[in-house]
C-alpha cells in the first residue's frame, strides 16, 4: 500500500476512536462506580450489556488507536453498533441513529483493511 493509504488509516483510526471514547467514557464510569443500570436490547442482561458496550466503546478504541489487533478488535464495535442501529434504536428516526451507522461503517472498513503500517502490529 502507498504511504498515503497508511496515513489515511492512521487518521481514521485515531479520529474515529477518539470520538467514540466520548461515548464509552460515561459507560466506563458507570462500571467503575458499580452502577449497572442499562438497557438490555438483546436479552443478555443489563449488566452484561453495559460491560460489552463499555468494552466496545472505551477499551477497544484505545487499543485500536495504537493499532493493536485492529481487525480482531473491530468485531466488538461492529457487533455493538449492529445492535445499536438495528435493535436498540430500531424505532428511532434515521437522523437519530445515523451516528451508530457511521461508526458501524468505519469499523467494518477497519476490519477489512487492518490498521496499516502505522499500527503497533503493522496489520
Amino acid at each position: 500500500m502507498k504511504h498515503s493509504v497508511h496515513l489515511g488509516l492512521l487518521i481514521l483510526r485515531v479520529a474515529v476512536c477518539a470520538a467514540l471514547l466520548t461515548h464509552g467514557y460515561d459507560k466506563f464510569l458507570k462500571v467503575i462506580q458499580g452502577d449497572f443500570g442499562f438497557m438490555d436490547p438483546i436479552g443478555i442482561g443489563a449488566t452484561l450489556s453495559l460491560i460489552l458496550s463499555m468494552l466496545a466503546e472505551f477499551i477497544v478504541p484505545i487499543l485500536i488507536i495504537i493499532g493493536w489487533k485492529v481487525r480482531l478488535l473491530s468485531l466488538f464495535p461492529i457487533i455493538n453498533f449492529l445492535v445499536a442501529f438495528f435493535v436498540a434504536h430500531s424505532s428511532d428516526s434515521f437522523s437519530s441513529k445515523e451516528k451508530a451507522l457511521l461508526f458501524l461503517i468505519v469499523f467494518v472498513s477497519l476490519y477489512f483493511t487492518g490498521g496499516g503500517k502505522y499500527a503497533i502490529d503493522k496489520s
Side-chain angles (χ1 to χ4, degrees):
M1 279 193 276
K2 290 183 174 184
H3 169 73
S4 60
V5 172
H6 293 287
L7 185 58
L9 288 171
L10 173 66
I11 292 167
L12 183 69
R13 277 193 352 254
V14 172
V16 170
C17 288
L20 185 53
L21 286 173
T22 65
H23 298 280
Y25 184 68
D26 291 338
K27 293 173 179 85
F28 177 72
L29 289 179
K30 283 178 68 91
V31 170
I32 296 300
Q33 295 166 352
D35 175 9
F36 295 101
F38 196 68
M39 66 179 77
D40 182 19
I42 58 172
I44 60 173
T47 299
L48 187 55
S49 293
L50 173 61
I51 290 169
L52 290 173
S53 185
M54 180 271 300
L55 285 172
E57 296 180 19
F58 189 73
I59 304 299
V60 166
I62 292 169
L63 298 172
I64 289 177
I65 284 171
I66 64 173
W68 187 69
K69 304 288 184 191
V70 171
R71 285 190 166 119
L72 175 66
L73 292 176
S74 290
L75 292 172
F76 283 86
I78 287 170
I79 293 166
N80 185 69
F81 290 113
L82 280 169
V83 171
F85 187 81
F86 290 107
V87 181
H89 299 287
S90 63
S91 62
D92 294 352
S93 67
F94 181 78
S95 63
S96 171
K97 61 184 180 179
E98 73 180 311
K99 192 182 316 178
L101 181 61
L102 292 173
F103 278 124
L104 175 62
I105 291 167
V106 168
F107 286 104
V108 167
S109 298
L110 287 173
Y111 174 79
F112 286 109
T113 62
K117 77 176 184 183
Y118 300 122
I120 281 183
D121 61 10
K122 296 179 179 17
S123 62

